[in-house]
Amino acid sequence: MSGADHPIRVVVWGENVHEQEQQEVRDIYPDGMHTTIKEGIEENLGGRASVSAVTLQDAEHGLTEEVLRGTDVLVWWGHAAHGDVADEVVARIHRHVLAGMGLLVLHSGHWSKIFGKLMGTSCTLRWRSKNDREIVWTVDPTHPIAQGVPHPFIIPAQEMYGEFFDVPTPDELVFLSTFTGGEVFRSGMTYRRGFGKIFFFSPGDQDYPVYHQKEVRRVLANGVEWAMTLRPERTDPVLLRYEPEDFYNGHGYSGAMEN
């Protein structure tokens, strides 16, 4: 069941590779980026969310059928090991998103298998890894994800992402970022796929303490609340045949995804 009768069940998925291999990343995120992201959501949502974290190294990457069935919103951070994510796990996540699970995709997750599968494009962009300054501008101040977020807010040290970003036109553009080289980037966008809601938010390179910043933590918490579906149950969109004047009893097909 998904709804307001229980705290939002959030799973933060972390690749957990840079933290194992690079001391400078461990210095910023000693307990892993996934733990810092988890703590930021808990800090803002308190008892409104129940948050856990899993990593690439866990069995089935921590995303078994049982785990996903009990997840309202999945938060995804990946970068160095996109290819190591098993295709069967990606297919499992994809099915749950279409059936109503929320998904937050962060930073280099734009090149993850699951984001590419949901977008249907290359998801490539312009980038510069050198220490830069990012200004995040709110372009939709009425959006739930923007509530309580200063306009603008500054990330003092960050990697540059710039246009052209090869993704479909978003359902909503919430944030736009600018950088010292004059680049702009659609840094906060929403999509709907099937019954699921998706929020992409770009700030968060592993070399900088972005996920310790209070404004970023507020955005992620707001994104979690927005992505939570209020549908009474999680079901797959299906293709059904209906007789004239029968609006409720479709039959004859098991669903387009299985044909």
Side-chain angles (χ1 to χ4, degrees), residues 121-248:
T121 59
S122 72
C123 300
T124 54
L125 45 76
R126 177 184 300 222
W127 65 281
R128 179 174 59 251
S129 60
K130 183 180 179 181
N131 189 332
D132 208 320
R133 181 268 293 136
E134 179 175 359
I135 304 179
V136 182
W137 304 85
T138 300
V139 296
D140 187 353
T142 67
H143 199 282
I145 297 177
Q147 299 314 296
V149 178
H151 171 64
F153 70 88
I154 298 173
I155 301 176
Q158 167 65 338
E159 181 180 49
M160 184 279 289
Y161 274 10
E163 299 290 342
F164 170 58
F165 186 20
D166 183 23
V167 290
T169 300
D171 294 326
E172 300 156 313
L173 177 61
V174 185
F175 301 109
L176 180 75
S177 289
T178 57
F179 297 85
T180 59
E183 300 88 358
V184 299
F185 189 71
R186 292 168 289 169
S187 53
M189 299 184 288
T190 71
Y191 294 92
R192 290 164 178 81
R193 293 292 184 268
F195 296 132
K197 295 194 287 185
I198 303 164
F199 177 52
F200 171 78
F201 189 59
S202 64
D205 185 76
Q206 72 279 352
D207 291 335
Y208 310 105
V210 176
Y211 294 121
H212 291 288
Q213 188 165 335
K214 64 179 181 179
E215 297 92 345
V216 172
R217 290 157 83 98
R218 180 61 185 266
V219 169
L220 299 189
N222 288 354
V224 163
E225 287 200 294
W226 172 84
M228 165 77 170
T229 180
L230 295 179
R231 297 183 71 245
E233 60 181 337
R234 184 174 298 171
T235 56
D236 296 330
V238 295
L239 177 65
L240 298 174
R241 178 170 56 86
Y242 291 85
E243 300 298 333
E245 302 297 327
D246 181 356
F247 305 113
Y248 304 105

